[in-house]
Amino acid sequence: RRVLFRSNELNAEIVKTILESRGLLVDVANNGLDAVVKVMTQPAQYYCCVLMDIQMPVMDGHEATRRIRNKEKEMNRPAVAIVGMSGDAFDEDVAMAKADGMDDYLIKPLDNNMLFAMIEKMILKEGR
């Protein structure tokens, strides 16, 4: 199972190490545009889950998610599970993320158990 993750460099290394310790393969995107490119240049279902940071350089998580969803529709391919991540925990933030096409939302700082539970939920939802 492969996960795509994007966060600042320090957090990315920490989360990557934690996820890999659980047997997941992890790719790290440098920014929102890089996340879109990585998802869309791989075969469908290459990633079991995308952990999409809301605030990223070049392109934020909202725009990156909208672009991925639009490309998936254009290419008639199954939707990858996308989980938004942010320190913004208001109901409007979660609603906006879901309106943009995110499947779920995690509030930072991330709790390891919640992170793994979310990934497992997305994997089961996708039937992988």
Side-chain angles (χ1 to χ4, degrees):
R1 296 181 182 139
R2 185 174 293 275
V3 174
L4 178 63
F5 177 73
R6 165 61 188 122
S7 189
N8 67 52
E9 194 172 317
L10 176 61
N11 286 344
E13 261 324 295
I14 292 167
V15 172
K16 183 176 189 236
T17 300
I18 292 167
L19 294 174
E20 288 176 341
S21 75
R22 293 281 183 104
L24 294 166
L25 301 173
V26 181
D27 291 340
V28 178
N30 296 316
N31 55 60
L33 182 57
D34 189 35
V36 173
V37 170
K38 284 182 186 277
V39 170
M40 299 315 300
T41 57
Q42 294 298 336
Q45 300 180 330
Y46 181 80
Y47 294 110
C48 66
C49 184
V50 175
L51 300 174
M52 184 73 74
D53 203 333
I54 298 298
Q55 297 179 357
M56 294 186 282
V58 181
M59 180 186 297
D60 70 22
H62 294 288
E63 180 63 22
T65 298
R66 287 191 299 267
R67 287 194 186 190
I68 289 169
R69 294 300 185 224
N70 287 336
K71 291 277 189 193
E72 288 169 335
K73 286 177 187 170
E74 285 174 19
M75 298 171 72
N76 196 30
R77 66 188 257 176
V80 64
I82 300 176
V83 177
M85 301 181 309
S86 178
D88 298 328
F90 296 107
D91 290 340
E92 323 60 88
D93 299 311
V94 177
M96 186 165 49
K98 289 188 176 185
D100 288 330
M102 293 181 193
D103 297 283
D104 219 320
Y105 195 86
L106 286 170
I107 297 165
K108 295 194 269 182
L110 295 175
D111 170 270
N112 291 349
N113 292 328
M114 289 181 72
L115 176 62
F116 290 117
M118 180 64 71
I119 292 171
E120 286 300 316
K121 176 182 168 184
M122 292 299 117
I123 290 169
L124 292 173
K125 181 179 177 182
E126 299 299 315
R128 297 183 190 154

